[in-house]
Coordinates of all heavy atoms in Angstrom, one line a residue:
W1 N 1.3 17.0 -3.2 CA 1.7 16.0 -2.2 C 0.6 14.9 -2.2 O 0.9 13.9 -1.7 CB 2.0 16.6 -0.9 CG 0.8 17.4 -0.2 CD1 0.5 18.7 -0.4 CD2 -0.1 16.8 0.7 NE1 -0.6 18.9 0.4 CE2 -1.0 17.8 1.0 CE3 -0.4 15.6 1.2 CZ2 -2.1 17.6 1.9 CZ3 -1.4 15.4 2.1 CH2 -2.3 16.4 2.4
M2 N -0.5 15.2 -2.8 CA -1.6 14.2 -2.9 C -1.1 12.9 -3.7 O -1.4 11.8 -3.3 CB -2.8 14.7 -3.5 CG -3.5 15.7 -2.5 SD -4.0 14.9 -1.0 CE -5.3 13.8 -1.5
S3 N -0.3 13.1 -4.7 CA 0.2 12.0 -5.5 C 1.1 11.2 -4.7 O 1.2 10.0 -4.8 CB 0.8 12.4 -6.8 OG 1.9 13.3 -6.6
W4 N 1.9 11.8 -3.8 CA 2.9 11.1 -3.0 C 2.1 10.3 -2.0 O 2.4 9.1 -1.7 CB 3.7 12.2 -2.3 CG 4.7 11.6 -1.3 CD1 5.9 11.0 -1.6 CD2 4.5 11.5 0.1 NE1 6.5 10.5 -0.5 CE2 5.7 10.9 0.6 CE3 3.6 11.9 1.0 CZ2 5.9 10.6 2.0 CZ3 3.8 11.6 2.3 CH2 4.9 11.0 2.8
V5 N 1.1 10.9 -1.3 CA 0.2 10.1 -0.4 C -0.4 8.9 -1.1 O -0.4 7.8 -0.6 CB -0.8 11.1 0.2 CG1 -1.8 10.3 1.0 CG2 -0.2 12.1 1.1
W6 N -1.0 9.2 -2.3 CA -1.7 8.1 -3.0 C -0.7 6.9 -3.3 O -1.0 5.8 -3.2 CB -2.3 8.6 -4.3 CG -3.0 7.4 -5.0 CD1 -2.6 7.0 -6.2 CD2 -4.1 6.7 -4.6 NE1 -3.4 5.9 -6.6 CE2 -4.3 5.7 -5.6 CE3 -4.9 6.7 -3.5 CZ2 -5.3 4.8 -5.5 CZ3 -5.9 5.7 -3.4 CH2 -6.1 4.8 -4.4
S7 N 0.6 7.3 -3.7 CA 1.5 6.3 -4.0 C 1.9 5.4 -2.8 O 2.2 4.2 -2.9 CB 2.8 6.9 -4.6 OG 3.5 7.7 -3.6
I8 N 1.8 6.0 -1.6 CA 2.1 5.2 -0.4 C 0.9 4.4 0.0 O 1.0 3.2 0.3 CB 2.4 6.2 0.8 CG1 3.8 6.8 0.6 CG2 2.4 5.4 2.2 CD1 4.2 7.8 1.6
V9 N -0.3 5.0 -0.1 CA -1.5 4.3 0.3 C -1.8 3.1 -0.6 O -2.2 2.0 -0.2 CB -2.7 5.2 0.3 CG1 -4.0 4.5 0.5 CG2 -2.6 6.2 1.4
S10 N -1.5 3.2 -1.9 CA -1.7 2.2 -2.9 C -0.5 1.2 -3.1 O -0.6 0.3 -3.9 CB -2.0 2.8 -4.3 OG -1.0 3.5 -4.7
A11 N 0.5 1.4 -2.3 CA 1.7 0.5 -2.4 C 1.4 -0.9 -1.9 O 0.6 -1.0 -0.9 CB 2.9 1.1 -1.7
A12 N 2.0 -1.9 -2.6 CA 1.9 -3.3 -2.1 C 3.0 -3.5 -1.1 O 4.0 -4.1 -1.4 CB 2.0 -4.2 -3.3
L13 N 2.7 -3.1 0.1 CA 3.8 -3.2 1.2 C 3.8 -4.5 1.8 O 2.8 -5.0 2.3 CB 3.5 -2.1 2.2 CG 4.6 -1.8 3.3 CD1 5.9 -1.4 2.6 CD2 4.1 -0.7 4.2
V14 N 5.0 -5.1 1.9 CA 5.1 -6.5 2.5 C 6.3 -6.4 3.5 O 7.3 -5.9 3.2 CB 5.5 -7.5 1.4 CG1 5.8 -8.9 2.1 CG2 4.3 -7.6 0.4
V15 N 6.0 -6.9 4.7 CA 7.0 -7.0 5.7 C 7.3 -8.5 6.0 O 6.3 -9.3 6.2 CB 6.6 -6.4 7.1 CG1 7.6 -6.6 8.2 CG2 6.3 -4.9 6.8
R16 N 8.5 -9.0 5.8 CA 8.9 -10.4 6.0 C 9.4 -10.7 7.4 O 10.3 -9.9 7.8 CB 9.9 -10.9 5.0 CG 9.4 -10.8 3.5 CD 10.5 -11.4 2.6 NE 10.1 -11.2 1.2 CZ 9.4 -12.0 0.5 NH1 8.9 -13.1 1.1 NH2 9.1 -11.7 -0.7
R17 N 8.9 -11.7 8.0 CA 9.4 -12.1 9.4 C 9.4 -13.6 9.5 O 8.7 -14.3 8.9 CB 8.5 -11.5 10.5 CG 8.7 -10.0 10.7 CD 10.0 -9.7 11.3 NE 10.3 -10.4 12.5 CZ 10.1 -10.0 13.8 NH1 9.5 -8.9 14.0 NH2 10.4 -10.8 14.8
S18 N 10.3 -14.0 10.4 CA 10.3 -15.5 10.7 C 9.2 -15.8 11.8 O 8.7 -14.8 12.5 CB 11.6 -15.9 11.3 OG 12.0 -15.1 12.4
F19 N 8.7 -17.0 11.8 CA 7.5 -17.3 12.6 C 7.6 -18.7 13.2 O 8.4 -19.5 12.6 CB 6.2 -17.1 11.9 CG 5.9 -18.0 10.8 CD1 5.0 -19.1 11.0 CD2 6.6 -18.0 9.6 CE1 4.8 -20.0 10.0 CE2 6.3 -18.9 8.6 CZ 5.4 -19.9 8.8
A20 N 6.9 -19.0 14.2 CA 6.8 -20.4 14.7 C 5.9 -21.2 13.8 O 4.8 -20.9 13.5 CB 6.2 -20.3 16.1
E21 N 6.5 -22.2 13.2 CA 5.8 -23.0 12.1 C 4.4 -23.6 12.5 O 3.5 -23.5 11.7 CB 6.7 -24.1 11.7 CG 7.9 -23.6 10.9 CD 8.7 -24.7 10.4 OE1 8.2 -25.8 10.0 OE2 9.9 -24.5 10.3
N22 N 4.2 -24.1 13.7 CA 3.0 -24.8 14.0 C 1.9 -23.9 14.4 O 0.7 -24.3 14.4 CB 3.2 -25.9 15.1 CG 4.2 -27.0 14.7 OD1 4.3 -27.2 13.4 ND2 4.9 -27.6 15.6
V23 N 2.2 -22.7 14.8 CA 1.1 -21.8 15.3 C 1.0 -20.5 14.5 O 0.1 -19.7 14.8 CB 1.3 -21.4 16.8 CG1 1.2 -22.7 17.7 CG2 2.7 -20.8 17.0
F24 N 1.8 -20.3 13.5 CA 1.8 -19.1 12.7 C 1.8 -17.8 13.5 O 1.2 -16.8 13.2 CB 0.5 -19.1 11.8 CG 0.5 -20.3 10.8 CD1 -0.2 -21.4 11.1 CD2 1.4 -20.3 9.7 CE1 -0.2 -22.5 10.2 CE2 1.4 -21.4 8.9 CZ 0.6 -22.4 9.1
K25 N 2.6 -17.8 14.5 CA 2.9 -16.6 15.3 C 4.3 -16.1 15.0 O 5.2 -16.9 14.8 CB 2.7 -16.9 16.8 CG 1.4 -17.3 17.3 CD 0.5 -16.1 17.4 CE -0.9 -16.5 17.9 NZ -1.8 -15.4 18.0
L26 N 4.5 -14.8 15.1 CA 5.8 -14.2 14.8 C 6.7 -14.4 16.0 O 6.2 -14.5 17.2 CB 5.7 -12.7 14.5 CG 4.9 -12.4 13.2 CD1 4.8 -10.8 13.1 CD2 5.6 -12.9 12.0
F27 N 8.0 -14.4 15.8 CA 8.9 -14.3 16.9 C 9.1 -12.8 17.2 O 9.7 -12.1 16.5 CB 10.3 -14.9 16.6 CG 10.3 -16.4 16.3 CD1 10.7 -17.0 15.1 CD2 9.9 -17.2 17.4 CE1 10.6 -18.3 15.0 CE2 9.8 -18.6 17.2 CZ 10.2 -19.2 16.0
G28 N 8.4 -12.3 18.3 CA 8.4 -10.9 18.5 C 7.3 -10.3 17.8 O 6.3 -10.9 17.4
S29 N 7.3 -8.9 17.6 CA 6.3 -8.2 16.9 C 7.0 -7.3 15.9 O 8.1 -7.1 15.9 CB 5.4 -7.4 17.9 OG 6.2 -6.5 18.5
I30 N 6.1 -6.8 14.9 CA 6.6 -5.9 13.9 C 6.8 -4.5 14.5 O 6.0 -4.0 15.2 CB 5.6 -5.8 12.8 CG1 5.3 -7.1 12.1 CG2 6.0 -4.7 11.7 CD1 6.5 -7.7 11.4
K31 N 8.0 -4.0 14.3 CA 8.4 -2.7 14.8 C 8.1 -1.6 13.8 O 8.1 -1.9 12.6 CB 9.8 -2.6 15.2 CG 10.3 -3.8 16.1 CD 9.9 -3.5 17.6 CE 10.4 -4.5 18.5 NZ 9.7 -5.7 18.7
T32 N 8.0 -0.3 14.2 CA 7.8 0.7 13.2 C 9.0 0.9 12.3 O 8.8 1.2 11.1 CB 7.5 2.1 13.9 OG1 8.6 2.3 14.8 CG2 6.2 2.1 14.6
S33 N 10.2 0.6 12.8 CA 11.4 0.6 11.9 C 11.3 -0.4 10.8 O 11.8 -0.1 9.7 CB 12.6 0.5 12.8 OG 12.6 -0.8 13.4
Q34 N 10.8 -1.6 11.1 CA 10.6 -2.6 10.0 C 9.6 -2.1 9.0 O 9.8 -2.4 7.8 CB 10.2 -3.9 10.6 CG 11.3 -4.5 11.5 CD 10.8 -5.6 12.3 OE1 9.8 -5.6 12.9 NE2 11.5 -6.7 12.3
F35 N 8.5 -1.5 9.5 CA 7.5 -0.9 8.5 C 8.2 0.1 7.7 O 8.0 0.2 6.5 CB 6.3 -0.4 9.3 CG 5.3 0.3 8.5 CD1 4.3 -0.5 7.8 CD2 5.3 1.7 8.3 CE1 3.3 0.1 7.1 CE2 4.3 2.3 7.6 CZ 3.4 1.5 6.9
T36 N 8.9 1.1 8.3 CA 9.5 2.2 7.5 C 10.6 1.7 6.5 O 10.8 2.2 5.5 CB 10.0 3.3 8.4 OG1 11.0 2.7 9.3 CG2 8.9 4.0 9.1
D37 N 11.3 0.6 6.9 CA 12.3 0.0 6.1 C 11.6 -0.6 4.8 O 12.1 -0.5 3.7 CB 13.0 -1.1 6.8 CG 14.0 -0.6 7.8 OD1 14.3 0.7 7.8 OD2 14.5 -1.4 8.6
A38 N 10.4 -1.2 5.0 CA 9.7 -1.8 3.9 C 9.2 -0.6 2.9 O 9.2 -0.8 1.7 CB 8.5 -2.6 4.4
L39 N 8.8 0.5 3.5 CA 8.4 1.7 2.7 C 9.6 2.2 2.0 O 9.5 2.6 0.8 CB 7.8 2.8 3.6 CG 6.3 2.6 3.8 CD1 5.9 3.8 4.8 CD2 5.5 2.8 2.6
A40 N 10.7 2.2 2.7 CA 12.0 2.8 2.0 C 12.4 1.9 0.9 O 12.9 2.4 -0.2 CB 13.1 2.9 3.0
A41 N 12.2 0.6 0.9 CA 12.5 -0.3 -0.2 C 11.7 0.0 -1.4 O 12.1 -0.3 -2.5 CB 12.3 -1.7 0.3
L42 N 10.5 0.6 -1.2 CA 9.7 1.0 -2.3 C 9.9 2.4 -2.7 O 9.2 3.0 -3.6 CB 8.1 0.9 -1.9 CG 7.7 -0.6 -1.6 CD1 6.3 -0.6 -1.1 CD2 7.8 -1.4 -2.9
G43 N 10.9 3.2 -2.1 CA 11.2 4.5 -2.4 C 10.5 5.6 -1.6 O 10.6 6.7 -2.0
H44 N 9.9 5.2 -0.5 CA 9.2 6.3 0.3 C 9.9 6.3 1.7 O 9.9 5.4 2.5 CB 7.8 5.9 0.5 CG 7.0 5.7 -0.7 ND1 6.7 6.7 -1.6 CD2 6.6 4.6 -1.3 CE1 6.0 6.3 -2.6 NE2 5.9 5.0 -2.5
T45 N 10.6 7.4 2.0 CA 11.2 7.7 3.2 C 10.3 8.4 4.2 O 9.9 9.5 3.9 CB 12.5 8.5 3.1 OG1 13.3 7.8 2.1 CG2 13.3 8.6 4.3
I46 N 10.0 7.7 5.4 CA 9.2 8.3 6.4 C 9.8 8.1 7.7 O 10.3 7.0 8.0 CB 7.8 7.7 6.4 CG1 7.1 8.0 5.0 CG2 6.9 8.1 7.5 CD1 5.7 7.5 4.9
D47 N 9.8 9.1 8.6 CA 10.4 9.0 9.9 C 9.5 8.1 10.7 O 8.2 8.3 10.7 CB 10.4 10.4 10.5 CG 11.2 10.4 11.8 OD1 10.9 9.5 12.7 OD2 11.9 11.4 12.1
A48 N 10.1 7.1 11.5 CA 9.3 6.2 12.3 C 8.4 6.9 13.3 O 7.4 6.3 13.7 CB 10.2 5.2 12.9
S49 N 8.8 8.0 13.8 CA 8.0 8.7 14.8 C 6.6 9.2 14.3 O 5.8 9.5 15.1 CB 8.8 9.9 15.3 OG 9.0 10.9 14.4
F50 N 6.4 9.2 13.0 CA 5.2 9.6 12.4 C 4.3 8.4 12.1 O 3.2 8.5 11.6 CB 5.4 10.4 11.1 CG 6.1 11.7 11.3 CD1 7.3 12.0 10.8 CD2 5.5 12.7 12.2 CE1 7.9 13.1 11.0 CE2 6.1 13.9 12.4 CZ 7.4 14.1 11.8
V51 N 4.7 7.1 12.5 CA 4.0 5.9 12.2 C 3.4 5.3 13.4 O 4.1 5.2 14.4 CB 4.9 4.9 11.5 CG1 4.2 3.6 11.2 CG2 5.5 5.5 10.2
K52 N 2.2 4.9 13.4 CA 1.5 4.3 14.6 C 1.1 2.9 14.1 O 0.3 2.8 13.2 CB 0.3 5.1 15.0 CG -0.3 4.6 16.3 CD -1.4 5.6 16.7 CE -2.2 5.0 17.9 NZ -3.3 5.9 18.2
L53 N 1.6 1.9 14.8 CA 1.2 0.5 14.5 C 0.5 -0.1 15.7 O 0.8 0.2 16.8 CB 2.4 -0.4 14.3 CG 3.2 -0.1 13.0 CD1 4.4 -1.1 13.0 CD2 2.4 -0.4 11.8
T54 N -0.5 -0.9 15.4 CA -1.1 -1.8 16.5 C -0.1 -2.9 16.7 O 0.9 -3.1 16.0 CB -2.4 -2.3 16.1 OG1 -2.2 -3.1 14.9 CG2 -3.4 -1.3 15.9
K55 N -0.2 -3.6 17.8 CA 0.7 -4.7 18.1 C 0.5 -5.8 17.1 O -0.7 -6.4 17.0 CB 0.4 -5.3 19.5 CG 1.5 -6.2 20.0 CD 1.5 -6.2 21.5 CE 2.7 -6.0 22.2 NZ 3.7 -5.3 22.3
V56 N 1.5 -6.1 16.2 CA 1.3 -7.1 15.2 C 2.2 -8.3 15.5 O 3.4 -8.2 15.6 CB 1.8 -6.5 13.8 CG1 1.8 -7.5 12.7 CG2 0.9 -5.3 13.4
K57 N 1.6 -9.4 15.8 CA 2.3 -10.6 16.2 C 1.9 -11.8 15.4 O 2.3 -12.9 15.7 CB 2.0 -10.9 17.7 CG 2.6 -9.8 18.6 CD 2.4 -10.1 20.1 CE 3.5 -11.1 20.5 NZ 4.6 -10.8 21.2
D58 N 1.1 -11.6 14.3 CA 0.6 -12.7 13.5 C 0.9 -12.4 12.1 O 1.3 -11.3 11.7 CB -0.9 -12.9 13.6 CG -1.3 -13.2 15.0 OD1 -0.8 -14.1 15.6 OD2 -2.2 -12.5 15.5
L59 N 0.8 -13.4 11.2 CA 0.9 -13.3 9.8 C -0.5 -12.7 9.3 O -1.5 -13.0 9.9 CB 1.2 -14.6 9.1 CG 2.5 -15.3 9.5 CD1 2.6 -16.6 8.8 CD2 3.7 -14.4 9.2
G60 N -0.5 -11.9 8.3 CA -1.7 -11.4 7.7 C -1.7 -10.0 7.3 O -0.6 -9.4 7.1
T61 N -2.8 -9.3 7.1 CA -2.9 -8.0 6.6 C -3.3 -7.0 7.8 O -4.2 -7.3 8.5 CB -4.0 -7.8 5.5 OG1 -3.6 -8.7 4.4 CG2 -4.0 -6.4 5.0
F62 N -2.6 -5.9 7.9 CA -2.7 -5.0 9.0 C -2.7 -3.6 8.5 O -2.4 -3.3 7.3 CB -1.7 -5.2 10.1 CG -1.6 -6.6 10.7 CD1 -0.8 -7.5 10.1 CD2 -2.4 -6.9 11.7 CE1 -0.8 -8.8 10.6 CE2 -2.4 -8.2 12.2 CZ -1.6 -9.1 11.6
D63 N -3.1 -2.6 9.3 CA -3.1 -1.2 8.9 C -2.1 -0.5 9.9 O -2.0 -0.8 11.0 CB -4.5 -0.6 9.1 CG -5.4 -1.0 8.0 OD1 -5.0 -1.2 6.9 OD2 -6.6 -1.1 8.3
A64 N -1.4 0.5 9.2 CA -0.6 1.5 10.0 C -1.1 2.8 9.7 O -1.6 3.1 8.6 CB 0.9 1.3 9.5
E65 N -1.0 3.7 10.7 CA -1.4 5.1 10.6 C -0.2 5.9 10.4 O 0.7 5.8 11.2 CB -2.2 5.5 11.8 CG -2.6 7.0 11.7 CD -3.4 7.4 13.0 OE1 -3.6 6.6 13.9 OE2 -3.7 8.6 13.0
I66 N -0.1 6.7 9.4 CA 1.0 7.6 9.1 C 0.5 9.0 9.3 O -0.5 9.5 8.6 CB 1.6 7.4 7.7 CG1 2.1 6.0 7.6 CG2 2.7 8.5 7.5 CD1 2.6 5.7 6.2
R67 N 1.0 9.8 10.2 CA 0.6 11.1 10.5 C 1.4 12.1 9.6 O 2.6 12.1 9.6 CB 1.0 11.5 12.0 CG 0.2 12.7 12.5 CD 0.5 13.0 13.9 NE 1.9 13.3 14.2 CZ 2.7 12.5 14.9 NH1 2.3 11.3 15.4 NH2 3.9 12.8 15.1
L68 N 0.7 12.7 8.7 CA 1.3 13.7 7.8 C 1.3 15.1 8.3 O 2.2 15.9 7.9 CB 0.4 13.7 6.5 CG 0.3 12.3 5.8 CD1 -0.7 12.4 4.6 CD2 1.6 11.8 5.3
H69 N 0.4 15.4 9.2 CA 0.3 16.7 9.8 C -0.4 16.5 11.1 O -0.9 15.4 11.4 CB -0.5 17.7 8.9 CG -0.6 19.1 9.4 ND1 -1.6 19.5 10.2 CD2 0.2 20.1 9.1 CE1 -1.3 20.8 10.4 NE2 -0.3 21.2 9.8
R70 N -0.5 17.5 12.0 CA -1.1 17.4 13.3 C -2.6 16.9 13.2 O -3.0 16.1 14.0 CB -1.1 18.7 14.0 CG -0.7 18.6 15.4 CD -0.6 20.0 16.1 NE 0.7 20.5 15.9 CZ 1.0 21.8 15.8 NH1 0.1 22.7 15.8 NH2 2.2 22.2 15.6
T71 N -3.3 17.3 12.1 CA -4.7 16.9 12.0 C -4.9 16.0 10.8 O -6.1 15.7 10.5 CB -5.5 18.1 11.9 OG1 -5.1 18.9 10.7 CG2 -5.4 19.0 13.1
V72 N -3.9 15.6 10.1 CA -4.0 14.8 8.9 C -3.2 13.5 9.0 O -2.0 13.5 9.2 CB -3.5 15.6 7.6 CG1 -3.7 14.7 6.4 CG2 -4.3 16.8 7.5
S73 N -3.9 12.4 8.8 CA -3.2 11.1 8.8 C -3.9 10.2 7.7 O -5.0 10.4 7.3 CB -3.3 10.4 10.2 OG -4.6 10.2 10.6
V74 N -3.1 9.2 7.3 CA -3.6 8.2 6.4 C -3.3 6.8 6.9 O -2.4 6.6 7.7 CB -3.0 8.3 5.0 CG1 -3.3 9.6 4.3 CG2 -1.5 8.2 5.0
N75 N -4.2 5.9 6.5 CA -4.0 4.5 6.9 C -3.4 3.8 5.7 O -3.9 3.9 4.6 CB -5.3 3.8 7.3 CG -5.8 4.3 8.6 OD1 -5.0 4.6 9.5 ND2 -7.1 4.3 8.9
V76 N -2.4 2.9 6.0 CA -1.7 2.2 5.0 C -1.8 0.7 5.3 O -1.4 0.4 6.4 CB -0.2 2.6 4.8 CG1 0.5 1.7 3.8 CG2 -0.1 4.1 4.5
S77 N -2.3 -0.1 4.4 CA -2.3 -1.5 4.7 C -1.1 -2.2 4.3 O -0.4 -1.7 3.4 CB -3.5 -2.2 3.8 OG -4.7 -1.7 4.2
F78 N -0.7 -3.2 5.1 CA 0.6 -3.9 4.7 C 0.3 -5.4 5.1 O -0.5 -5.7 6.0 CB 1.8 -3.3 5.5 CG 1.7 -3.5 7.0 CD1 2.4 -4.5 7.6 CD2 1.0 -2.5 7.7 CE1 2.4 -4.5 9.0 CE2 1.0 -2.6 9.1 CZ 1.7 -3.6 9.7
N79 N 1.1 -6.2 4.4 CA 1.0 -7.7 4.6 C 2.2 -8.1 5.4 O 3.4 -7.7 5.1 CB 1.0 -8.5 3.3 CG -0.4 -8.3 2.6 OD1 -1.4 -8.2 3.3 ND2 -0.3 -8.0 1.3
V80 N 2.0 -9.0 6.4 CA 3.2 -9.7 7.1 C 3.2 -11.1 6.6 O 2.2 -11.8 6.7 CB 3.0 -9.6 8.6 CG1 4.1 -10.4 9.3 CG2 2.9 -8.2 9.1
I81 N 4.3 -11.5 5.9 CA 4.4 -12.8 5.4 C 5.7 -13.5 6.0 O 6.6 -12.8 6.5 CB 4.6 -12.8 3.9 CG1 5.8 -12.0 3.4 CG2 3.3 -12.2 3.3 CD1 6.0 -12.2 2.0
A82 N 5.7 -14.8 6.0 CA 6.8 -15.6 6.4 C 8.0 -15.4 5.5 O 7.9 -15.3 4.3 CB 6.5 -17.0 6.5
G83 N 9.2 -15.2 6.0 CA 10.3 -15.0 5.2 C 11.6 -15.1 5.8 O 12.1 -14.8 6.8

């Protein structure tokens, strides 16, 4: 399972969202379902209940925590871009 974890951690994950043009703020925030949909597009299916996101309301690079086991979790970086 280590190769599976590595493939997620090293994935170039991108979430596309619309934003307010003059202030570079998102309309709303990124939801865990949007994050898991982006992972699914790369071939990795993860239940959203195992994903912990901070409040993401801007464009840029952020981290998500994916809980693999009660005591094991990994951080996955992802980019939020306009789209």
Side-chain angles (χ1 to χ4, degrees):
W1 62 273
M2 288 300 289
S3 62
W4 178 80
V5 170
W6 178 249
S7 67
I8 291 175
V9 171
S10 63
L13 187 61
V14 174
V15 177
R16 294 181 188 275
R17 283 293 307 266
S18 56
F19 70 102
E21 290 184 34
N22 296 333
V23 292
F24 298 103
K25 296 282 185 184
L26 298 177
F27 293 122
S29 59
I30 299 296
K31 309 282 189 274
T32 55
S33 61
Q34 293 167 313
F35 176 82
T36 56
D37 288 347
L39 274 176
L42 295 175
H44 303 289
T45 304
I46 294 179
D47 188 318
S49 64
F50 297 118
V51 176
K52 183 177 177 182
L53 291 176
T54 58
K55 194 158 230 43
V56 177
K57 298 185 76 106
D58 299 310
L59 301 177
T61 302
F62 301 92
D63 286 326
E65 180 182 356
I66 300 176
R67 195 175 67 246
L68 304 174
H69 186 270
R70 227 177 269 151
T71 59
V72 179
S73 62
V74 295
N75 287 330
V76 176
S77 293
F78 66 100
N79 291 317
V80 177
I81 63 171

